Amino acid sequence: MSLRAWAELLRVSALFTVPGDALAGAASAGVRPNRGTALAVGASLCLYEAGMALNDWADRDEDAVERPHRPIPSGRITPNAALTAAGALTATGLLLASRAGRPTLALSTALAATVWAYDLRLKHTSAGPLAMGAARTLDVLMGATATSSATARTPRPTIRSLMPPTRRGVLDRLSAWAGRPARRGRATTPVETLANKLARSTGDRGRTASSFVAPLDALVAKATGSVAGSASPAAPGAGARLSAWAAGPAVPRGAGAGPVRTPVEALASKFAGSAGPRPATLPWHGGTGTESVPRGALLPAGLLGAHTLAVTTVSRREVYGGSVGAPAAALVATGVLAAVVGRPRTDSGPPGLVAPVLAAVFAGTAGRAFLHAALNPSPQLTQRAVGGGIRAMIPFQAALAARGGAPGVGLAVMGLVPLARKLAKKVSVT
């Protein structure tokens, strides 16, 4: 088994159409590429190649008649080797996705299931193109989710670290107060003293002073690390102010705002779990929470899925040709998709020229090939139309990234075109 045989089996020249999915999804979600993006790209590449190997394994009998030059019918790669490669690549893809978080793993699992279902069952049915479109859609969403999840988990710098040294006096004194040892004649530290007050004020016999020490330590640590007060270095000591606050009287509250509570009772109720329900997770970059798919990635995912559906529909007749409707419909779809992507977003600031230009490149790459196949639906031109649709995936992804507010990412994706074109001369994308 030679490397060239494996390159043909896996159609490595088509690999360059994969990374743009994750990058376009991340850009449309408003997130910069990061470690999660790299993991998503790696998972996508593995699952894409798994589908290629599984496709030739499933079609080995059909290829023996229609494409005897393919690696399996020609005997250069055994069916068992191809099936083993498909399983190993699928497992590797899922492993990489799991490193990006559970939401990414869930999407990658759905993607893998779609790929296997298409190759083994749906390819020769009317649901085949829909399955391929769904696979591309899931790939874009997986990249966007992995990128956003990695951004959500990245620790942010504390406000204190961003403050000038002249503004850190109060925070430093509060930290020093919390860490002071117990005075002579007393058995408790300042934090433990406040914890005793909290325990007495809650009225909850099940809560002891020791149960408040850890939360208070965390509270002080958070205050000294992430809360930028407005006090100046000359302000009274943090310890004195905190003691006065703890011993303060009950403060009347507005009508309907609940019972009157002292400051200590208010804080104690929070530690005791009676402060009400926890707030909802804050949204991030168009998403609905750290476990959700970014909403901004839904449109590019659907558009790429629609283009994939059109190309797959044309590919069903690439062996015998004779279909005018499929390439004609794909041509119309290309025009609509290019118009949508080339139109600037109303919420992304002044419109740029990168996205419209890249959308025009996409339209020219795919539209020309579809037009020729519609005018002359021969097997050769139909196969060229499929190849043109696949190659047009890269400028389409680049246009979506630029439209999402990342023109630099879009241009970087376009940098894959020369590499894909050079490799396609040696290994066909179809």
Side-chain angles (χ1 to χ4, degrees):
M1 293 182 290
S2 64
L3 290 178
R4 182 176 180 81
W6 281 103
E8 292 180 15
L9 178 77
L10 300 176
R11 297 173 177 84
V12 293
S13 58
L15 276 179
F16 297 100
T17 66
V18 177
D21 287 345
L23 293 172
S28 299
V31 190
R32 292 183 178 180
N34 51 32
R35 174 179 176 271
T37 315
L39 290 171
V41 170
S44 298
L45 291 172
C46 289
L47 294 176
Y48 187 85
E49 292 293 50
M52 292 297 183
L54 185 64
N55 176 78
D56 275 28
W57 179 86
D59 291 347
R60 61 191 184 279
D61 295 333
E62 180 181 335
D63 288 344
V65 177
E66 299 177 352
R67 298 177 177 180
H69 62 279
R70 293 296 299 165
I72 294 180
S74 63
R76 290 176 292 162
I77 294 178
T78 65
N80 287 339
L83 184 60
T84 301
L89 286 167
T90 300
T92 304
L94 294 177
L95 177 62
L96 290 173
S98 67
R99 301 292 297 173
R102 291 183 179 179
T104 307
L105 176 59
L107 287 169
S108 67
T109 303
L111 174 57
T114 303
V115 169
W116 281 70
Y118 171 80
D119 286 334
L120 299 180
R121 191 74 177 179
L122 301 177
K123 182 177 181 179
H124 299 291
T125 69
S126 58
L130 292 174
M132 287 299 292
R136 183 68 68 169
T137 299
L138 288 170
D139 196 34
V140 177
L141 296 179
M142 182 176 69
T145 303
T147 305
S148 297
S149 297
T151 301
R153 290 194 299 268
T154 301
R156 298 180 179 179
T158 62
I159 296 179
R160 184 186 186 283
S161 67
L162 302 178
M163 293 173 61
T166 56
R167 300 277 298 172
R168 301 176 185 173
V170 173
L171 302 180
D172 290 337
R173 288 197 295 274
L174 180 58
S175 180
W177 169 84
R180 284 190 304 182
R183 296 182 179 179
R184 292 184 179 180
R186 295 184 180 180
T188 59
T189 64
V191 171
E192 291 171 340
T193 301
L194 183 57
N196 287 329
K197 292 185 177 182
L198 291 173
R200 289 195 299 270
S201 65
T202 59
D204 186 354
R205 296 183 180 180
R207 300 297 300 271
T208 62
S210 61
S211 65
F212 291 99
V213 173
L216 282 172
D217 282 334
L219 178 64
V220 173
K222 183 176 181 180
T224 58
S226 61
V227 179
S230 59
S232 65
R241 292 199 305 275
L242 186 58
S243 298
W245 166 82
V251 179
R253 307 178 67 183
V260 176
R261 295 184 296 181
T262 65
V264 171
E265 290 173 337
L267 183 61
S269 65
K270 293 185 179 181
F271 286 124
S274 59
R278 297 178 62 184
T281 305
L282 293 177
W284 39 263
H285 300 293
T288 57
T290 56
E291 298 297 323
S292 302
V293 175
R295 294 177 182 174
L298 295 177
L299 178 60
L303 295 178
L304 281 166
H307 176 64
T308 303
L309 186 152
V311 175
T312 306
T313 302
V314 176
S315 70
R316 295 164 69 88
R317 301 299 297 270
E318 65 178 323
V319 175
Y320 301 105
S323 174
V324 176
L331 179 61
V332 174
T334 299
V336 173
L337 294 175
V340 172
V341 177
R343 183 179 180 181
R345 293 171 53 178
T346 58
D347 58 344
S348 59
L353 295 177
V354 178
V357 170
L358 293 177
V361 174
F362 157 71
T365 304
R368 187 184 306 111
F370 291 146
L371 177 61
H372 290 166
L375 296 176
N376 181 12
S378 64
Q380 183 180 9
L381 290 181
T382 302
Q383 188 173 1
R384 287 183 181 179
V386 175
I390 295 175
R391 288 191 298 272
M393 195 71 70
I394 297 178
F396 194 26
Q397 295 161 340
L400 286 169
R403 184 179 184 273
V409 175
L411 294 176
V413 172
M414 279 299 294
L416 299 174
V417 171
L419 299 175
R421 185 175 301 169
K422 182 178 180 179
L423 193 56
K425 296 178 180 180
K426 300 179 180 180
V427 180
S428 174
V429 297
T430 61

